[in-house]
Amino acid sequence: MDDFQQLSKHHRDIVKASTAFIYAILVSIAMNFFWTPGHIYSSGITGLAQLINSLMTKFMPVELSTAALLFILNVPMFIIAWRAIGHRFTVYTFLAVTLSSIMIKVIAPVGLTHDPIICAIFGGAVNGFGTGTALKNGISTGGLDIIGIVLRRRTGRSIGTINMAFNSLIIIAAGFVYGWPYAFYSALGLFVNGRVIDMTYTRQQKMQVMIITNRPKTVIDSVQNRIRRGVTIVHNAEGAYQHDDKTILFTVITRYEMSELKMAMAESDPHAFVSISDTVKILGHFYEPKP
């Protein structure tokens, strides 16, 4: 058993390290293939690093690269993550940010297109997918993602929405530096980035589940063995077709847990009727596993 747990932990470490490397490649592609050629600012700390680099290039005799600034600006975020989220989470966040800084520096900019709309959409989509994939696998890309996780635990707001709220300054800065049309292009990129994060990071997408079954104890045991979720039981329901006794079970899961729910139902009551509804707003405590 100890060997299995050790092997499982080793596998998770490999997956997280690989995810950090994949994210680094994706953010470097977004930066060097789309944002830089299109004069588009990214979201959060990455966008702030771009802004500082632009201002230093225009007004100062010395400058730091966007890659170096990205790492420097994330140092306070590492401290916040270490104290408020978790040590392992911080280690992988550090790895993701470090690899990102290296890859942005190593991969040379390629001007596939200079159309700002195309650069905003595709840059936001590529970066959003990378960020969402990293968060889905329990690591952060640093910057506002860390603040977003902390605030989401306290307010229930989605990470994409929180990021957009923090990025108003980036949009205004794009207007001053590149002209106001580019502020709108950057806003488009930020919107796409936030939506793709929300679509990819399925741990935060909540779904209400209604199960109608005549084997409630078996179903509850199977679901709770696989998923750490509470279940509400409604007794004395009646099927209208055969007028047989039924029990209705209610629970709320995340989209990330959907496969576990399907397996639990297959092994406990494959003939149960299961209705699943998207977009559930939760008032009260909803357990979220720590990264």
Side-chain angles (χ1 to χ4, degrees):
M1 187 64 178
D2 291 338
D3 291 340
F4 175 77
Q5 290 177 344
Q6 193 70 24
L7 181 63
S8 177
K9 180 180 177 182
H10 182 63
H11 177 263
R12 288 195 301 269
D13 289 340
I14 293 175
V15 169
K16 288 187 176 185
S18 301
T19 302
F21 181 69
I22 292 171
Y23 165 75
I25 294 176
L26 290 175
V27 72
S28 64
I29 290 173
M31 177 71 71
N32 294 334
F33 290 18
F34 298 106
W35 290 332
T36 299
H39 300 303
I40 304 299
Y41 281 152
S42 173
S43 61
I45 298 299
T46 306
L48 182 60
Q50 289 176 278
L51 173 61
I52 294 175
N53 174 261
S54 298
L55 295 176
M56 292 180 73
T57 301
K58 284 190 173 186
F59 302 112
M60 297 182 66
V62 295
E63 63 177 278
L64 292 174
S65 67
T66 300
L69 288 166
L70 177 62
F71 182 83
I72 293 170
L73 292 172
N74 268 291
V75 171
M77 302 303 167
F78 297 149
I79 298 173
I80 293 174
W82 186 269
R83 293 179 177 177
I85 300 178
H87 295 175
R88 288 177 61 83
F89 178 86
T90 307
V91 169
Y92 286 109
T93 300
F94 177 84
L95 179 63
V97 172
T98 301
L99 289 174
S100 300
S101 299
I102 293 172
M103 296 305 294
I104 290 172
K105 191 69 176 177
V106 169
I107 296 180
V110 176
L112 299 177
T113 176
H114 293 278
D115 186 314
I117 296 179
I118 294 177
C119 289
I121 292 174
F122 281 88
V126 170
N127 184 73
F129 178 74
T131 302
T133 301
L135 292 169
K136 184 176 179 179
N137 285 278
I139 65 175
S140 167
T141 59
L144 294 184
D145 296 333
I146 292 173
I147 297 176
I149 290 173
V150 173
L151 292 181
R152 181 170 57 83
R153 289 182 176 181
R154 298 181 181 180
T155 67
R157 301 291 298 278
S158 73
I159 286 180
T161 302
I162 290 170
N163 274 346
M164 291 182 66
F166 276 102
N167 287 324
S168 299
L169 177 62
I170 303 298
I171 294 172
I172 295 172
F176 281 107
V177 175
Y178 293 124
W180 291 108
Y182 287 93
F184 295 109
Y185 300 142
S186 294
L188 174 62
L190 296 180
F191 177 80
V192 172
N193 182 70
R195 294 307 94 188
V196 174
I197 289 175
D198 283 344
M199 286 188 293
T200 308
Y201 183 40
T202 55
R203 288 181 187 269
Q204 68 176 350
Q205 298 176 19
K206 299 176 180 65
M207 311 174 74
Q208 180 174 283
V209 181
M210 180 182 71
I211 303 170
I212 301 176
T213 178
N214 53 12
R215 303 174 62 186
K217 187 178 186 307
T218 304
V219 171
I220 292 171
D221 289 344
S222 182
V223 169
Q224 293 188 328
N225 282 338
R226 290 182 174 274
I227 310 171
R228 183 176 172 178
R229 298 295 170 206
V231 178
T232 299
I233 307 172
V234 180
H235 294 289
N236 302 321
E238 180 182 346
Y241 182 67
Q242 295 182 334
H243 298 282
D244 50 348
D245 293 332
K246 298 286 185 180
T247 300
I248 302 176
L249 308 176
F250 287 97
T251 188
V252 176
I253 65 172
T254 67
R255 184 174 293 277
Y256 183 77
E257 297 165 331
M258 175 67 76
S259 60
E260 294 292 335
L261 175 70
K262 289 180 178 178
M263 287 188 286
M265 294 308 304
E267 69 183 17
S268 62
D269 188 0
H271 300 293
F273 178 82
V274 182
S275 175
I276 302 172
S277 303
D278 283 321
T279 315
V280 177
K281 184 175 181 62
I282 302 297
L283 300 177
H285 177 69
F286 182 79
Y287 169 75
E288 295 191 48
K290 294 183 177 181

